[in-house]
Amino acid sequence: RQFQGSPLWLGKHYTEAKTFDFVAFELLDLQDGYKDAGSYFKSVRYIQKAGWTHDKGVKISGVRMAKVVDGEEAPTTVDSTDGGEQPTKKGPTFWNAPSVDLAAFIRQEATPEDFVVMKLDIEGGEWPLLQHLVNEGIIPYYIDEIMMECHAKDPNTYSLLGFKLLPPECMDLITDLREMGVYAHRWV
């Protein structure tokens, strides 16, 4: 998540990276970690919001490996109510965060002719988010490549498979995306 990871890899491995407008959605204040990204990309924009299925804000569970809890599983109360408070390691179990409808954002910022690469590591949130992007016509028309860390729909699957094995539904998801014309692959 910090610049040393994903953006550095993209900047070094995409020969056309200098032509990319790089946008990072992060829940925590990690902006300092992206300060050197400008040397690899045409532009860098840091947005401290969740890229999600709507722009109404989300409830988050956890801190370092934070997970959106939306809909029926969302708690009715949270520890932080202003949406701007940063949790700490000993902080709230649930906290509010602002969100961006990623489909609307991509439609506003890109055209189907642009080459769009998406990297996802959103702790199980890939399932509702990718479905939203398909439903809204963003996949396959706007996104050309997706690198993602795919999580089992049932977290208990990991205890059976171990963290290094790809859950079968993730392989199916990657195959489905490829059949739609998106070069999708696993990111670990």
Side-chain angles (χ1 to χ4, degrees):
R1 291 191 180 208
Q2 302 228 8
F3 173 67
Q4 296 84 337
S6 306
L8 181 60
W9 188 93
L10 290 169
K12 287 184 173 182
H13 291 89
Y14 272 90
T15 55
E16 300 296 319
K18 283 271 191 202
T19 67
F20 287 10
D21 294 309
F22 182 88
V23 180
F25 288 91
E26 292 281 0
L27 291 176
L28 300 177
D29 186 1
L30 303 173
Q31 190 164 353
D32 286 346
Y34 289 87
K35 64 184 173 194
D36 297 328
S39 62
Y40 289 95
F41 303 100
K42 176 180 164 188
S43 69
V44 175
R45 196 162 20 149
Y46 183 90
I47 300 173
Q48 194 172 341
K49 295 182 178 182
W52 196 238
T53 62
H54 56 73
D55 60 3
K56 300 173 187 167
V58 291
K59 289 180 176 64
I60 305 295
S61 170
V63 180
R64 296 284 304 153
M65 302 296 276
K67 176 183 172 186
V68 171
V69 286
D70 213 8
E72 291 180 17
E73 64 179 304
T76 54
T77 60
V78 293
D79 294 331
S80 166
T81 56
D82 67 4
E85 181 180 320
Q86 285 293 305
T88 63
K89 287 183 181 180
K90 295 181 182 180
T93 304
F94 294 100
W95 50 287
N96 288 330
S99 64
V100 171
D101 182 326
L102 200 54
F105 179 86
I106 291 170
R107 191 175 284 114
Q108 179 181 341
E109 298 290 326
T111 69
E113 293 77 30
D114 290 334
F115 183 75
V116 176
V117 178
M118 177 183 286
K119 194 266 187 187
L120 290 175
D121 182 3
I122 54 176
E123 307 310 316
E126 61 273 10
W127 297 99
L129 179 59
L130 291 172
Q131 186 62 59
H132 174 67
L133 296 176
V134 169
N135 293 348
E136 293 296 315
I138 299 301
I139 293 174
Y141 303 107
Y142 286 79
I143 297 176
D144 300 281
E145 181 173 1
I146 297 176
M147 294 174 245
M148 65 178 167
E149 182 177 297
C150 187
H151 302 82
K153 287 183 178 180
D154 176 4
N156 295 323
T157 302
Y158 280 121
S159 62
L160 300 172
L161 293 175
F163 284 103
K164 295 192 184 228
L165 295 176
L166 187 65
E169 67 258 32
C170 291
M171 195 64 235
D172 293 343
L173 175 60
I174 290 169
T175 300
D176 290 347
L177 289 167
R178 287 181 178 179
E179 287 174 355
M180 286 186 237
V182 176
Y183 180 54
H185 47 101
R186 184 179 186 196
W187 176 283
V188 257

